[in-house]
Amino acid sequence: MPNNNNSTRNNASAGFLACVPHVPLTKIQESLGVKANEEFWSSYEKRVEEFKAFDPELVIIFGGNHMDGIHLKLMPQFVVIHAAEALDDCGGWPGPLDVPMDVATALTEHLNEHEFDITTSYAMEVDHGFSNPLHYFMGELNARPVLPININTIADPRPTLRRCRLLGEEIGRFAKTLNKRIAFLGTGGLSHQTDFVFPQYHTAPNLEVRDYLVHGGDKGPITREKWRNDVVVGMDKLSRDLVEGTFQAPWINEEWDKKFLSTLANGNLAEFDNWTDTEVLDAAGYGGSEVRLWIAAAAAAQACDERSDFKVDFYSGETTFAVGAGIVHSDPSSI
């Protein structure tokens, strides 16, 4: 599996895939020394070891924002991030990312030439949707070159699953031209609910919350600091209730999660093209929208390295994370 001579085979790009949660409760419970979810962490640690053995020269991560670095004043569907700093948000780790701007620029030009109208950012504030998995895979967020791709999974309306697949494929085709070892990370939970923490514009409980959703604390009485503190308080309580067994997440849909994982693992990602946003929301909650990140990452890995073969290594609807928690990865023998 490792490429010990630090060169790709036959001077061609090689791809590694891992799809994992970015749920804040992993950090919260880890910091409290909670001893739970042993099978989840065992699977995750194996993926990290495979990642290290693969020794990627570039990490392309598909993540999302949680009303922190991006707000409804301007909500792009897809962003190629040229420079990024991770916020000290709930469940995330702060610090700069080492984004290779020349690669980000070349990717943006490539996507524009292939009919994707891509947003760019030279000062993106990313949250736990990126920093949480990067921490677990790399330790320091700038330990390796990272190219972050932001997909809107949080706010109505979202891109179709088909468009996310096509975007991933085109990114993978671009990545293949780099002749590097490239790790593709898909992040997020399967079925879970986020609307009680991050409501939509039309479901905001009052004008003050709506102003925050639109302006991110620049207007109205809710400052950015208050919003973050409220999220921390809410997540801490949710975590405590889950660990103590006084609450069980009612929104986890194990049947839907397993159907999604089976479809992803079979590698025929075009099967997702007919899955509508309404169907996903009804079956998997607003948090289930994050499966777009997994689809894009898997499509990119396939397009970059035709040897890619995916395996579901873990799934549970009964962790203390309040999400349908799954882990999918490349079969190491195919790399």
Side-chain angles (χ1 to χ4, degrees):
M1 177 180 61
N3 205 328
N4 294 323
N5 64 1
N6 285 332
S7 63
T8 54
R9 277 175 282 184
N10 300 321
N11 198 35
S13 288
F16 167 95
L17 173 73
C19 294
V20 296
H22 60 225
V23 58
L25 301 191
T26 59
K27 181 181 181 181
I28 292 171
Q29 293 171 14
E30 186 180 43
S31 67
L32 296 174
V34 172
K35 302 298 182 183
N37 313 304
E38 291 184 5
E39 290 185 15
F40 168 82
W41 286 117
S42 176
S43 175
Y44 206 142
E45 288 165 4
K46 290 175 184 176
R47 307 292 76 79
V48 172
E49 290 306 310
E50 290 169 356
F51 175 92
K52 291 178 179 178
F54 180 69
D55 191 22
E57 298 168 275
L58 175 66
V59 178
I60 299 181
I61 180 170
F62 295 82
N65 178 269
H66 300 80
M67 294 298 177
D68 222 327
I70 306 176
H71 301 90
L72 296 181
K73 184 177 181 180
L74 182 63
M75 180 59 68
Q77 299 299 306
F78 303 119
V79 186
V80 174
I81 300 173
H82 287 56
E85 180 93 14
L87 301 163
D88 189 11
D89 74 317
C90 182
W93 277 263
L97 280 60
D98 178 14
V99 182
M101 192 173 293
D102 57 338
V103 179
T105 300
L107 172 59
T108 303
E109 292 173 348
H110 175 92
L111 292 173
N112 283 335
E113 290 168 359
H114 289 81
E115 301 185 357
F116 285 89
D117 300 321
I118 292 298
T119 301
T120 59
S121 174
Y122 290 81
M124 178 69 81
E125 295 177 312
V126 299
D127 61 21
H128 69 273
F130 290 91
S131 67
N132 183 285
L134 288 176
H135 165 82
Y136 289 120
F137 276 98
M138 304 195 318
E140 296 296 326
L141 302 184
N142 59 357
R144 296 176 186 266
V146 173
L147 181 52
I149 310 297
N150 188 91
I151 297 179
N152 169 32
T153 66
I154 196 72
D156 297 334
R158 283 158 293 277
T160 64
L161 275 63
R162 178 178 183 272
R163 192 62 171 165
C164 294
R165 174 183 66 82
L166 294 174
L167 175 73
E169 286 181 357
E170 203 57 57
I171 290 173
R173 293 187 190 103
F174 167 82
K176 189 171 185 177
T177 69
L178 299 178
N179 297 324
K180 296 180 181 291
R181 296 182 306 280
I182 301 175
F184 299 92
L185 300 182
T187 76
L190 303 177
S191 60
H192 65 293
Q193 193 54 270
T194 59
D195 63 351
F196 63 98
V197 184
F198 311 111
Q200 300 300 306
Y201 181 87
H202 59 278
T203 61
N206 53 56
L207 182 59
E208 288 76 17
V209 170
R210 181 173 291 177
D211 281 343
Y212 179 83
L213 296 174
V214 174
H215 299 287
D218 292 339
K219 294 184 178 180
I222 300 178
T223 64
R224 204 171 187 188
E225 291 71 24
K226 175 175 170 47
W227 180 271
R228 287 189 192 168
N229 289 338
D230 288 348
V231 170
V232 168
V233 170
M235 289 294 101
D236 283 348
K237 183 181 186 306
L238 175 61
S239 176
R240 184 170 59 254
D241 291 345
L242 287 161
V243 171
E244 293 175 354
T246 58
F247 178 77
Q248 187 171 10
W251 45 72
I252 294 175
N253 185 338
E254 293 194 11
E255 181 180 359
W256 186 90
D257 289 345
K258 291 176 180 177
K259 179 183 178 182
F260 171 80
L261 291 170
S262 175
T263 305
L264 189 79
N266 75 24
N268 185 10
L269 304 180
E271 290 186 27
F272 291 117
D273 288 3
N274 294 323
W275 290 31
T276 69
D277 190 47
T278 298
E279 291 168 345
V280 172
L281 294 178
D282 288 346
Y286 269 93
S289 299
E290 292 171 353
V291 297
R292 288 166 169 79
L293 307 173
W294 292 39
I295 293 169
Q302 274 187 341
C304 178
D305 190 339
E306 63 276 4
R307 298 166 300 183
S308 296
D309 186 22
F310 308 142
K311 295 179 65 176
V312 179
D313 190 66
F314 174 86
Y315 173 76
S316 175
E318 299 180 356
T319 65
T320 60
F321 301 143
V323 305
I327 295 178
V328 171
H329 66 112
S330 300
D331 183 345
S333 64
S334 70
I335 300 176

